[in-house]
Amino acid sequence: GALPQSLEALVPNYRASVPYDFWAEAPMRYRADGNSYVVYSVGRGRVDDGGDPKADIIYRIQLPSAAELASPH
C-alpha cells in the first residue's frame, strides 16, 4: 500500500487523533518522501524548518523496498 497523504488520514482507523506538537501548539508535521516518511516537531526554536534534523525534532521511518520484501532472509 501507499503511504498516507496526511496524518489526518490515519484517524480514526489507526490513531485516535493526530499527534500534537506542543512547541508549535499545533499538530505534528508529516511528509512522505518515496518509501520513507518524516513526522516532526518544530522543536524549541518554534520555527518549521521543513524537517531539518539540525533544527527540528524528526522521526524518519524508512520502509523496505519491494525487492527487500521479496528477498528471503
Side-chain angles (χ1 to χ4, degrees):
L3 292 172
Q5 294 298 310
S6 68
L7 290 175
E8 290 83 3
L10 301 175
V11 178
N13 292 336
Y14 299 99
R15 293 203 44 97
S17 63
V18 174
Y20 190 73
D21 180 353
F22 290 95
W23 294 107
E25 298 178 347
M28 297 280 281
R29 273 66 168 176
Y30 168 84
R31 184 180 69 242
D33 186 20
N35 65 336
S36 70
Y37 64 91
V38 176
V39 176
Y40 67 95
S41 164
V42 297
R44 193 176 305 201
R46 297 184 179 176
V47 174
D48 184 351
D49 292 297
D52 180 351
K54 295 177 184 172
D56 298 327
I57 301 167
I58 69 164
Y59 306 94
R60 178 179 299 276
I61 307 299
Q62 182 74 35
L63 302 176
S65 68
E68 290 170 323
L69 289 173
S71 70
H73 291 68

